[in-house]
CSV table of all heavy atoms in Angstrom, one decimal:
chain,number,residue,atom,x,y,z
T,129,ARG,N,-101.3,-13.9,-44.7
T,129,ARG,CA,-100.7,-12.8,-45.4
T,129,ARG,C,-99.3,-12.7,-45.0
T,129,ARG,O,-98.4,-12.2,-45.7
T,129,ARG,CB,-101.5,-11.5,-45.0
T,129,ARG,CG,-101.0,-10.4,-45.8
T,129,ARG,CD,-102.2,-9.2,-45.7
T,129,ARG,NE,-102.2,-8.8,-44.3
T,129,ARG,CZ,-103.1,-7.8,-43.9
T,129,ARG,NH1,-103.9,-7.3,-44.8
T,129,ARG,NH2,-103.1,-7.5,-42.6
T,130,GLU,N,-98.9,-13.2,-43.7
T,130,GLU,CA,-97.6,-13.1,-43.2
T,130,GLU,C,-96.7,-14.2,-43.9
T,130,GLU,O,-95.5,-14.0,-44.1
T,130,GLU,CB,-97.6,-13.3,-41.7
T,130,GLU,CG,-98.3,-12.2,-40.9
T,130,GLU,CD,-97.6,-10.8,-41.2
T,130,GLU,OE1,-96.3,-10.7,-41.1
T,130,GLU,OE2,-98.3,-9.8,-41.5
T,131,THR,N,-97.3,-15.3,-44.2
T,131,THR,CA,-96.6,-16.5,-44.8
T,131,THR,C,-96.5,-16.4,-46.2
T,131,THR,O,-95.8,-17.3,-46.9
T,131,THR,CB,-97.1,-17.8,-44.4
T,131,THR,OG1,-98.4,-18.0,-44.8
T,131,THR,CG2,-97.3,-17.8,-42.8
T,132,GLY,N,-97.4,-15.6,-46.9
T,132,GLY,CA,-97.5,-15.8,-48.4
T,132,GLY,C,-98.4,-16.9,-48.8
T,132,GLY,O,-98.4,-17.4,-49.9
T,133,GLY,N,-99.2,-17.4,-47.9
T,133,GLY,CA,-100.1,-18.5,-48.2
T,133,GLY,C,-101.5,-18.1,-48.7
T,133,GLY,O,-101.8,-17.0,-48.9
T,134,HIS,N,-102.3,-19.2,-48.9
T,134,HIS,CA,-103.6,-19.0,-49.4
T,134,HIS,C,-104.6,-19.9,-48.7
T,134,HIS,O,-104.3,-21.1,-48.4
T,134,HIS,CB,-103.7,-19.3,-50.9
T,134,HIS,CG,-105.0,-19.0,-51.5
T,134,HIS,ND1,-106.1,-19.9,-51.6
T,134,HIS,CD2,-105.4,-17.8,-52.1
T,134,HIS,CE1,-107.1,-19.4,-52.2
T,134,HIS,NE2,-106.8,-18.2,-52.4
T,135,LEU,N,-105.8,-19.5,-48.5
T,135,LEU,CA,-106.9,-20.2,-47.8
T,135,LEU,C,-108.1,-20.4,-48.8
T,135,LEU,O,-108.4,-19.5,-49.4
T,135,LEU,CB,-107.4,-19.5,-46.5
T,135,LEU,CG,-108.8,-20.0,-45.9
T,135,LEU,CD1,-108.5,-21.4,-45.3
T,135,LEU,CD2,-109.3,-19.1,-44.9
T,136,THR,N,-108.5,-21.7,-48.8
T,136,THR,CA,-109.8,-22.0,-49.5
T,136,THR,C,-110.8,-22.3,-48.4
T,136,THR,O,-110.6,-23.2,-47.6
T,136,THR,CB,-109.7,-23.1,-50.5
T,136,THR,OG1,-108.7,-22.8,-51.5
T,136,THR,CG2,-110.9,-23.3,-51.1
T,137,THR,N,-111.9,-21.6,-48.4
T,137,THR,CA,-112.9,-21.8,-47.3
T,137,THR,C,-114.2,-22.2,-48.0
T,137,THR,O,-114.6,-21.6,-49.0
T,137,THR,CB,-113.1,-20.6,-46.4
T,137,THR,OG1,-114.0,-21.0,-45.4
T,137,THR,CG2,-113.4,-19.4,-47.1
T,138,ILE,N,-114.9,-23.2,-47.5
T,138,ILE,CA,-116.1,-23.6,-47.9
T,138,ILE,C,-117.2,-23.5,-47.1
T,138,ILE,O,-117.3,-23.7,-45.9
T,138,ILE,CB,-116.0,-25.1,-48.3
T,138,ILE,CG1,-114.8,-25.5,-49.2
T,138,ILE,CG2,-117.3,-25.7,-49.0
T,138,ILE,CD1,-114.4,-27.0,-49.4
T,139,GLU,N,-118.3,-22.9,-47.7
T,139,GLU,CA,-119.6,-22.7,-46.9
T,139,GLU,C,-120.7,-23.3,-47.5
T,139,GLU,O,-121.1,-23.1,-48.8
T,139,GLU,CB,-119.8,-21.2,-46.7
T,139,GLU,CG,-121.1,-20.8,-46.1
T,139,GLU,CD,-121.5,-21.5,-44.8
T,139,GLU,OE1,-120.6,-21.7,-44.0
T,139,GLU,OE2,-122.7,-22.0,-44.7
T,140,TYR,N,-121.5,-24.1,-46.9
T,140,TYR,CA,-122.7,-24.8,-47.3
T,140,TYR,C,-123.8,-23.9,-47.9
T,140,TYR,O,-124.3,-24.1,-49.0
T,140,TYR,CB,-123.2,-25.8,-46.3
T,140,TYR,CG,-124.5,-26.6,-46.9
T,140,TYR,CD1,-124.3,-27.7,-47.6
T,140,TYR,CD2,-125.7,-26.1,-46.4
T,140,TYR,CE1,-125.5,-28.4,-48.0
T,140,TYR,CE2,-126.9,-26.8,-46.9
T,140,TYR,CZ,-126.6,-28.0,-47.6
T,140,TYR,OH,-127.8,-28.6,-48.0
T,141,ASP,N,-124.1,-22.9,-47.0
T,141,ASP,CA,-125.2,-22.0,-47.3
T,141,ASP,C,-124.9,-20.9,-48.3
T,141,ASP,O,-123.9,-20.1,-48.1
T,141,ASP,CB,-125.8,-21.3,-46.1
T,141,ASP,CG,-127.0,-20.4,-46.2
T,141,ASP,OD1,-128.0,-21.1,-46.2
T,141,ASP,OD2,-126.8,-19.3,-46.5
T,142,ALA,N,-125.5,-20.9,-49.5
T,142,ALA,CA,-125.2,-19.9,-50.4
T,142,ALA,C,-125.2,-18.5,-50.1
T,142,ALA,O,-124.3,-17.7,-50.4
T,142,ALA,CB,-126.0,-20.1,-51.7
T,143,ALA,N,-126.2,-18.0,-49.3
T,143,ALA,CA,-126.3,-16.7,-48.9
T,143,ALA,C,-125.1,-16.4,-47.9
T,143,ALA,O,-124.5,-15.2,-48.0
T,143,ALA,CB,-127.7,-16.4,-48.2
T,144,ARG,N,-124.8,-17.2,-47.0
T,144,ARG,CA,-123.8,-16.9,-46.1
T,144,ARG,C,-122.4,-16.9,-46.9
T,144,ARG,O,-121.5,-16.1,-46.5
T,144,ARG,CB,-123.6,-18.1,-45.0
T,144,ARG,CG,-124.7,-17.9,-43.9
T,144,ARG,CD,-124.3,-18.7,-42.6
T,144,ARG,NE,-124.2,-20.2,-42.9
T,144,ARG,CZ,-125.3,-21.0,-42.6
T,144,ARG,NH1,-126.5,-20.6,-42.2
T,144,ARG,NH2,-125.0,-22.3,-42.8
T,145,ALA,N,-122.3,-17.8,-47.9
T,145,ALA,CA,-121.1,-17.7,-48.7
T,145,ALA,C,-120.8,-16.4,-49.4
T,145,ALA,O,-119.7,-16.0,-49.4
T,145,ALA,CB,-121.1,-18.9,-49.8
T,146,ARG,N,-121.9,-15.9,-49.8
T,146,ARG,CA,-121.9,-14.5,-50.5
T,146,ARG,C,-121.4,-13.5,-49.6
T,146,ARG,O,-120.6,-12.6,-49.8
T,146,ARG,CB,-123.1,-14.2,-51.2
T,146,ARG,CG,-123.4,-15.0,-52.4
T,146,ARG,CD,-124.6,-14.4,-53.1
T,146,ARG,NE,-125.9,-14.6,-52.5
T,146,ARG,CZ,-126.7,-15.5,-52.5
T,146,ARG,NH1,-126.4,-16.6,-53.3
T,146,ARG,NH2,-127.9,-15.5,-51.8
T,147,THR,N,-122.1,-13.6,-48.4
T,147,THR,CA,-121.6,-12.7,-47.4
T,147,THR,C,-120.2,-12.8,-47.0
T,147,THR,O,-119.4,-11.7,-46.7
T,147,THR,CB,-122.6,-12.7,-46.1
T,147,THR,OG1,-123.9,-12.5,-46.5
T,147,THR,CG2,-122.3,-11.8,-45.0
T,148,ALA,N,-119.8,-14.0,-46.8
T,148,ALA,CA,-118.3,-14.3,-46.4
T,148,ALA,C,-117.3,-13.7,-47.4
T,148,ALA,O,-116.5,-13.1,-47.1
T,148,ALA,CB,-118.2,-15.8,-46.2
T,149,ALA,N,-117.7,-13.9,-48.7
T,149,ALA,CA,-116.9,-13.4,-49.8
T,149,ALA,C,-116.7,-11.9,-49.7
T,149,ALA,O,-115.8,-11.2,-49.9
T,149,ALA,CB,-117.4,-14.0,-51.1
T,150,ASP,N,-117.9,-11.2,-49.5
T,150,ASP,CA,-118.0,-9.8,-49.3
T,150,ASP,C,-117.1,-9.3,-48.2
T,150,ASP,O,-116.4,-8.3,-48.2
T,150,ASP,CB,-119.4,-9.3,-49.3
T,150,ASP,CG,-119.5,-7.8,-49.3
T,150,ASP,OD1,-119.0,-7.1,-50.2
T,150,ASP,OD2,-120.1,-7.2,-48.3
T,151,ASN,N,-117.3,-10.1,-47.1
T,151,ASN,CA,-116.5,-9.7,-45.8
T,151,ASN,C,-115.0,-9.7,-46.0
T,151,ASN,O,-114.2,-9.0,-45.6
T,151,ASN,CB,-116.9,-10.4,-44.6
T,151,ASN,CG,-118.4,-10.0,-44.1
T,151,ASN,OD1,-118.8,-8.8,-44.3
T,151,ASN,ND2,-119.1,-10.8,-43.5
T,152,VAL,N,-114.6,-10.8,-46.7
T,152,VAL,CA,-113.2,-11.0,-47.1
T,152,VAL,C,-112.7,-10.0,-48.0
T,152,VAL,O,-111.6,-9.5,-47.8
T,152,VAL,CB,-113.0,-12.4,-47.8
T,152,VAL,CG1,-111.7,-12.5,-48.4
T,152,VAL,CG2,-113.2,-13.5,-46.8
T,153,ARG,N,-113.5,-9.6,-48.9
T,153,ARG,CA,-113.2,-8.4,-49.7
T,153,ARG,C,-113.0,-7.1,-49.0
T,153,ARG,O,-112.0,-6.4,-49.2
T,153,ARG,CB,-114.3,-8.2,-50.9
T,153,ARG,CG,-114.0,-7.1,-51.8
T,153,ARG,CD,-115.2,-6.7,-52.8
T,153,ARG,NE,-116.4,-6.4,-51.8
T,153,ARG,CZ,-116.5,-5.2,-51.2
T,153,ARG,NH1,-115.6,-4.2,-51.4
T,153,ARG,NH2,-117.6,-5.0,-50.6
T,154,ARG,N,-114.0,-6.9,-48.2
T,154,ARG,CA,-113.8,-5.7,-47.3
T,154,ARG,C,-112.6,-5.7,-46.4
T,154,ARG,O,-112.0,-4.7,-46.0
T,154,ARG,CB,-115.1,-5.5,-46.4
T,154,ARG,CG,-116.3,-5.3,-47.4
T,154,ARG,CD,-117.6,-5.2,-46.4
T,154,ARG,NE,-117.6,-4.2,-45.4
T,154,ARG,CZ,-118.4,-4.2,-44.3
T,154,ARG,NH1,-119.2,-5.2,-44.2
T,154,ARG,NH2,-118.2,-3.3,-43.5
T,155,ALA,N,-112.2,-6.9,-46.1
T,155,ALA,CA,-111.0,-7.0,-45.1
T,155,ALA,C,-109.7,-6.8,-46.0
T,155,ALA,O,-108.6,-6.9,-45.4
T,155,ALA,CB,-111.0,-8.4,-44.5
T,156,GLY,N,-109.8,-6.7,-47.3
T,156,GLY,CA,-108.6,-6.6,-48.2
T,156,GLY,C,-107.9,-7.9,-48.3
T,156,GLY,O,-106.7,-7.8,-48.6
T,157,LEU,N,-108.7,-9.0,-48.2
T,157,LEU,CA,-107.9,-10.4,-48.3
T,157,LEU,C,-108.4,-11.2,-49.4
T,157,LEU,O,-108.2,-12.3,-49.5
T,157,LEU,CB,-108.2,-11.1,-46.9
T,157,LEU,CG,-107.6,-10.6,-45.7
T,157,LEU,CD1,-108.1,-11.2,-44.4
T,157,LEU,CD2,-106.0,-10.6,-45.7
T,158,SER,N,-109.0,-10.4,-50.5
T,158,SER,CA,-109.5,-11.3,-51.6
T,158,SER,C,-108.3,-12.2,-52.3
T,158,SER,O,-108.7,-13.2,-52.9
T,158,SER,CB,-110.1,-10.5,-52.7
T,158,SER,OG,-111.2,-9.7,-52.0
T,159,GLU,N,-107.2,-11.7,-52.3
T,159,GLU,CA,-106.1,-12.4,-53.0
T,159,GLU,C,-105.5,-13.6,-52.1
T,159,GLU,O,-104.8,-14.4,-52.5
T,159,GLU,CB,-104.9,-11.5,-53.3
T,159,GLU,CG,-105.3,-10.5,-54.4
T,159,GLU,CD,-104.2,-9.6,-54.9
T,159,GLU,OE1,-103.1,-9.7,-54.4
T,159,GLU,OE2,-104.4,-8.7,-55.7
T,160,VAL,N,-106.0,-13.4,-50.8
T,160,VAL,CA,-105.4,-14.5,-49.9
T,160,VAL,C,-106.4,-15.6,-49.6
T,160,VAL,O,-106.1,-16.7,-49.3
T,160,VAL,CB,-105.1,-13.8,-48.5
T,160,VAL,CG1,-104.5,-14.9,-47.6
T,160,VAL,CG2,-104.0,-12.8,-48.8
T,161,VAL,N,-107.7,-15.2,-49.7
T,161,VAL,CA,-108.8,-16.1,-49.3
T,161,VAL,C,-109.7,-16.3,-50.4
T,161,VAL,O,-110.3,-15.3,-51.0
T,161,VAL,CB,-109.6,-15.6,-48.1
T,161,VAL,CG1,-110.8,-16.6,-47.7
T,161,VAL,CG2,-108.7,-15.4,-46.8
T,162,THR,N,-110.1,-17.5,-50.8
T,162,THR,CA,-111.2,-17.8,-51.8
T,162,THR,C,-112.3,-18.6,-51.1
T,162,THR,O,-112.1,-19.6,-50.3
T,162,THR,CB,-110.5,-18.9,-52.8
T,162,THR,OG1,-109.5,-18.1,-53.5
T,162,THR,CG2,-111.7,-19.2,-53.8
């Protein structure tokens, strides 16, 4: 967020990936992290 960059993160487990996406959203980083 400081650099104007973007992260793509990959998770093998589908349930964990959904939780990760929700946590990223709750952190206010949905535009920074996919």
Side-chain angles (χ1 to χ4, degrees):
R129 191 167 62 184
E130 297 297 315
T131 68
H134 185 270
L135 169 68
T136 299
T137 182
I138 303 171
E139 171 52 42
Y140 178 82
D141 183 86
R144 286 199 296 263
R146 288 192 295 270
T147 301
D150 185 57
N151 287 334
V152 166
R153 178 192 59 78
R154 293 172 62 195
L157 293 169
S158 294
E159 295 184 358
V160 180
V161 179
T162 297

